[in-house]
Amino acid sequence: MTDSIMSKAATMEIPINSNGDTGTLPEDDSLEQDLQQVMVSGPNLNETSIVSGGYGGTAEGIIPTSSIKGPAVRYNAEFNKRIPVTGLGSNMHHSSSSSSMTAEEATRGVAVEKLETMKKWGLNTYKCTKQMISERFGRGSRTVDLELEAQIEVLRDTKRKYENVLRLARALTNHFYNMVQTQHALGDTFADLSQKSPELRDEFGYNAETQKLLCKNGETLLGAINFFVSSINTLVNKTMEDTLMTIKMYESARLEFDAYRSDLEELSLGPRDAVAMARIEAAQQQYQVQKDKYERLRSDVIIKLKFLEENKVKVMHKQLLLFHNAISAYFAGNQQQLEQTLKQFNIKLRPPGADKPSWLEEQ
């Protein structure tokens, strides 16, 4: 009986007035009687106290319920909570709910956008992979520009050969630098011996002067070779590499173009109902987008290849002439011609010790 009554009470809202008396529930007389029996058998609400401490706490903080004056509350027997029914609490709860809903909608929008992006990326990757496999096994057709592909292959071969020239020129620079340093040390040693060996003063002096002169000319030649290496490095690793990056983008666009073209051809061979026509129209739009991208990059590659060839001829003509004149003048022992070669190509040598930072820069 008591369990039945408590279960009913747990599902109802009991309004309580300011003095703690219960109201009437005209909807159910039997329930009213049951509730009155519970209220009689249990403690009187007017005599009940609310303890603000833990269980078994002191008497401090005890507030008699009869002295509580305030708005009506709803008593939830299941969770043992007092829930205010006033308009202020309702507005705060509504504002908090609106803010949480706005944040949730924004998060959901971002998630949906990311999902759509991943979906498009996955579909594009699938089509391109399918096209690549088909081309590799000879089952799919690909768009071929024979003239442009021949130029691209020539560029790649030229880049490999120029990289070899750059590697050898750097090796020559390193070896020649070591030789110049050895000549410099040898000249200092000869000069020291000339001071300490009176009987061989002239002989050591001649050799010291010769090594110092060779060292000076060697430093001049190193300046010319370093300028040659720097120019070749810029041509190979910047100018040619930039063109090759555009070519990679062009080849990727070509693959996407052929993938969407093959997809459109497959759909065109299928049925022509309403759903199929909608898919064909969407595929036609995607095909046009990829075609425009492919043609734009193809035009960019053609222009860059043309400018690259002109720039390569201009740069290499100057650098090969510099390299030839500097090497010839050095090994011919013509110091004047060697210095004139550097002036002709506006090459300025660093003074001795220029590589070292000043005392102010070291601070």
Side-chain angles (χ1 to χ4, degrees), residues 243-294:
T243 304
L244 287 174
M245 287 298 296
T246 306
I247 290 173
K248 290 179 181 178
M249 295 170 60
Y250 157 74
E251 291 175 342
S252 177
R254 196 278 308 164
L255 182 64
E256 292 180 357
F257 167 68
D258 283 336
Y260 282 91
R261 176 182 56 80
S262 300
D263 186 39
L264 179 61
E265 291 175 354
E266 292 178 2
L267 291 175
S268 299
L269 297 176
R272 293 304 181 95
D273 54 2
V275 177
M277 291 303 296
R279 294 180 61 185
I280 290 175
E281 183 178 357
Q284 181 69 34
Q285 294 176 356
Q286 291 292 331
Y287 165 79
Q288 189 63 40
V289 170
Q290 298 299 328
K291 181 180 179 182
D292 294 341
K293 179 181 177 182
Y294 164 74

Side-chain angles (χ1 to χ4, degrees), residues 98-363:
S98 300
S99 300
S100 62
M101 288 180 62
T102 303
E104 184 179 355
E105 289 176 357
T107 304
R108 187 182 297 112
V110 173
V112 171
E113 184 179 355
K114 290 184 178 180
L115 183 61
E116 288 295 327
T117 302
M118 290 295 295
K119 182 180 178 182
K120 292 180 180 179
W121 175 83
L123 182 61
N124 183 74
T125 303
Y126 165 74
K127 290 183 178 182
C128 292
T129 304
K130 179 182 176 182
Q131 177 67 23
M132 184 185 301
I133 294 175
S134 299
E135 291 178 3
R136 184 165 297 179
F137 287 96
R139 294 194 299 266
S141 60
R142 63 186 299 265
T143 303
V144 179
D145 189 332
L146 296 177
E147 182 179 357
L148 183 58
E149 290 191 0
Q151 294 178 6
I152 293 173
E153 187 60 32
V154 168
L155 172 60
R156 287 176 172 150
D157 183 64
T158 301
K159 185 174 184 290
R160 286 191 294 268
K161 293 178 179 178
Y162 275 51
E163 286 174 343
N164 189 39
V165 170
L166 180 61
R167 180 181 60 82
L168 295 174
R170 284 173 172 167
L172 176 63
T173 303
N174 292 332
H175 295 322
F176 197 75
Y177 173 80
N178 292 330
M179 186 185 75
V180 170
Q181 293 300 311
T182 303
Q183 288 176 337
H184 188 276
L186 188 58
D188 291 341
T189 303
F190 284 155
D192 183 61
L193 289 172
S194 175
Q195 298 294 329
K196 296 179 180 180
S197 303
E199 67 280 2
L200 296 173
R201 180 187 304 272
D202 294 338
E203 288 78 1
F204 278 126
Y206 296 152
N207 282 277
E209 291 296 328
T210 301
Q211 295 300 320
K212 288 181 179 180
L213 179 62
L214 290 174
C215 182
K216 180 181 178 181
N217 292 340
E219 291 176 351
T220 304
L221 180 60
L222 274 175
I225 298 177
N226 284 330
F227 186 77
F228 175 82
V229 170
S230 176
S231 299
I232 301 300
N233 180 66
T234 301
L235 178 63
V236 173
N237 293 320
K238 292 185 178 181
T239 309
M240 289 185 178
E241 189 63 28
D242 177 71
T243 304
L244 287 174
M245 287 298 296
T246 306
I247 290 173
K248 290 179 181 178
M249 295 170 60
Y250 157 74
E251 291 175 342
S252 177
R254 196 278 308 164
L255 182 64
E256 292 180 357
F257 167 68
D258 283 336
Y260 282 91
R261 176 182 56 80
S262 300
D263 186 39
L264 179 61
E265 291 175 354
E266 292 178 2
L267 291 175
S268 299
L269 297 176
R272 293 304 181 95
D273 54 2
V275 177
M277 291 303 296
R279 294 180 61 185
I280 290 175
E281 183 178 357
Q284 181 69 34
Q285 294 176 356
Q286 291 292 331
Y287 165 79
Q288 189 63 40
V289 170
Q290 298 299 328
K291 181 180 179 182
D292 294 341
K293 179 181 177 182
Y294 164 74
E295 292 179 349
R296 182 180 69 255
L297 287 172
R298 177 177 175 273
S299 178
D300 291 345
V301 169
I302 292 175
I303 293 173
K304 284 197 172 186
L305 284 173
K306 179 181 178 181
F307 285 134
L308 174 62
E309 183 65 23
E310 295 175 356
N311 188 34
K312 183 193 70 174
V313 172
K314 182 179 178 180
V315 169
M316 292 307 299
H317 174 77
K318 177 181 178 180
Q319 296 302 319
L320 291 173
L321 184 61
L322 164 68
F323 191 81
H324 173 269
N325 291 346
I327 292 290
S328 299
Y330 173 80
F331 284 100
N334 193 336
Q335 180 182 359
Q336 183 178 1
Q337 183 181 354
L338 182 60
E339 294 177 353
Q340 185 64 32
T341 299
L342 267 67
K343 291 181 181 179
Q344 178 183 355
F345 293 95
N346 297 321
I347 301 174
K348 296 181 179 180
L349 298 178
R350 293 183 179 181
D355 295 336
K356 299 180 180 179
S358 64
W359 65 271
L360 186 61
E361 294 174 342
E362 291 178 349
Q363 300 300 321

Side-chain angles (χ1 to χ4, degrees), residues 9 12-25 35 39 43-48 50 65-77 80-86:
M12 298 296 292
E13 294 180 358
I14 306 174
I16 302 174
N17 56 22
S18 60
N19 60 6
D21 294 334
T22 59
T24 60
L25 295 174
L35 291 175
M39 299 301 292
N44 189 356
L45 290 177
N46 293 330
E47 299 175 355
T48 305
I50 300 175
T65 57
S66 58
S67 65
I68 298 176
K69 302 295 183 179
V73 298
R74 289 187 301 171
Y75 184 82
N76 191 323
N80 194 21
K81 293 181 180 178
R82 300 172 66 249
I83 306 174
V85 192
T86 59

Side-chain angles (χ1 to χ4, degrees), residues 83-101:
I83 306 174
V85 192
T86 59
L88 178 61
S90 243
N91 292 336
M92 292 177 63
H93 180 69
H94 179 70
S95 175
S96 177
S97 300
S98 300
S99 300
S100 62
M101 288 180 62

